[in-house]
Amino acid sequence: DGVKIVSFTRLDKAEEKRYKYLHFTMEDNPSLSERVKERYRRMYEGVFYKRFIEGLWVRAEGIIYTTFANNKEKFLIKHDYTDEEHKQDLWFINCGIDFGNNKSSHTFVATGFTYNFKKVVFLKAVKVSRSLTPKELDNEFKKFVEIIYAKYKKTFNVRCDSAETTLINGFKLACVEKNLFFCDVMNARKSPINERIHLVCRLFGEGRIEIVESECPDLINALETAVWDDKHAGE
């Protein structure tokens, strides 16, 4: 009668619908070398590893960044790339702004990149109350970017959650009024959440993420406890 591909969310009705369940893994593909398979294994973790590497029909629920949650000390660093040993390694910096909703705070994150993108380094992350007025939020933004510039002496881009146009325009105006010539405020390109999670998982798997422990306590907690919920995947 032909073959019908069934989504993950329909698997629980397989017996009722008389679907046939076929289980394949990478090992069933003779065209893949061991080197290629090992590269793919490093690209995924947690439930995504079970799906894409082990070929299991599992719901994408549970801790997302299991590599970090299970061994976070591997990714935490004490220095902040201002010491003599490391400051020459820092290539450039981006600052990301995530505007919170009614239940969460705004978040500012400064991310450094070493030469040739060898490492992605979370340099500083702060949470800012959602209850602030736009003017107060502008002041918090100004304070954050001035701290980053004073510490690292590098110009940088600021990428903002593109949904909040009014607040972004306020940041741009604050930069002009305060002569913050060292940063350029723009909308962020927001790719699908699965792609963003996949990228971070892959970086963790390849050991290419570092987090300045003393400057990112809230970010560390967020990465360690992030949980995927299919019901809210698009939020």
Side-chain angles (χ1 to χ4, degrees), residues 1 23 26 79 108 128 157 170 181 194 235:
D1 294 332
H23 180 205
M26 286 195 306
H79 69 87
F108 302 163
V128 181
N157 293 322
F181 61 89
N194 277 0
E235 296 181 358

Side-chain angles (χ1 to χ4, degrees), residues 25-225:
T25 72
M26 286 195 306
E27 304 304 323
D28 296 302
N29 187 341
S31 68
L32 296 179
S33 68
E34 187 57 38
R35 180 179 179 183
V36 170
K37 288 188 285 189
E38 182 58 32
R39 176 162 59 86
Y40 286 149
R41 292 185 189 105
R42 293 198 303 267
M43 289 171 60
Y44 300 97
E45 60 179 43
V47 291
F48 296 101
Y49 186 94
K50 291 181 180 295
R51 276 188 176 186
F52 303 130
I53 303 303
E54 297 181 351
L56 299 175
W57 292 70
V58 295
R59 287 184 177 274
E61 296 178 350
I63 296 295
I64 297 175
Y65 305 115
T66 53
T67 297
F68 178 74
N70 293 336
N71 191 17
K72 68 178 181 180
E73 298 302 323
K74 174 183 176 181
F75 303 97
L76 304 182
I77 59 175
K78 304 297 184 183
H79 69 87
D80 58 6
Y81 279 83
T82 58
D83 59 297
E84 289 299 323
E85 181 181 353
H86 299 93
K87 67 180 181 180
Q88 299 302 323
D89 295 333
L90 198 60
W91 194 10
F92 66 94
I93 297 172
N94 274 344
C95 288
I97 310 294
D98 182 34
F99 296 110
N101 54 35
N102 292 330
K103 297 181 180 180
S104 62
S105 303
H106 306 301
T107 305
F108 302 163
V109 181
T111 305
F113 300 85
T114 63
Y115 282 91
N116 295 322
F117 298 100
K118 184 176 181 180
K119 294 280 187 179
V120 177
V121 187
F122 294 110
L123 300 169
K124 186 175 182 66
V126 300
K127 283 189 173 182
V128 181
S129 172
R130 176 71 185 180
S131 63
L132 296 180
T133 66
K135 187 63 176 178
E136 291 170 333
L137 184 60
D138 290 348
N139 289 334
E140 290 297 320
F141 165 74
K142 171 180 173 292
K143 181 167 63 176
F144 181 77
V145 296
E146 286 182 329
I147 288 173
I148 299 303
Y149 181 74
K151 194 168 190 176
Y152 296 100
K153 298 295 188 296
K154 292 180 181 291
T155 59
F156 49 82
N157 293 322
V158 177
R159 297 287 193 271
C160 302
D161 184 341
S162 56
E164 296 288 352
T165 304
T166 301
L167 296 178
I168 295 172
N169 288 337
F171 286 179
K172 291 180 178 179
L173 183 60
C175 288
V176 173
E177 291 178 342
K178 302 298 183 180
N179 294 318
L180 305 182
F181 61 89
F182 48 81
C183 66
D184 187 15
V185 180
M186 293 174 282
N187 290 0
R189 176 185 176 276
K190 208 164 186 178
S191 57
I193 190 169
N194 277 0
E195 293 181 10
R196 285 177 271 153
I197 290 175
H198 177 203
L199 174 61
V200 176
C201 287
R202 182 171 182 177
L203 291 171
F204 273 129
E206 295 177 353
R208 293 171 59 194
I209 287 182
E210 294 181 342
I211 306 173
V212 180
E213 184 175 10
S214 62
E215 297 286 359
C216 305
D218 290 327
L219 176 62
I220 293 169
N221 180 66
L223 290 170
E224 189 176 14
T225 60

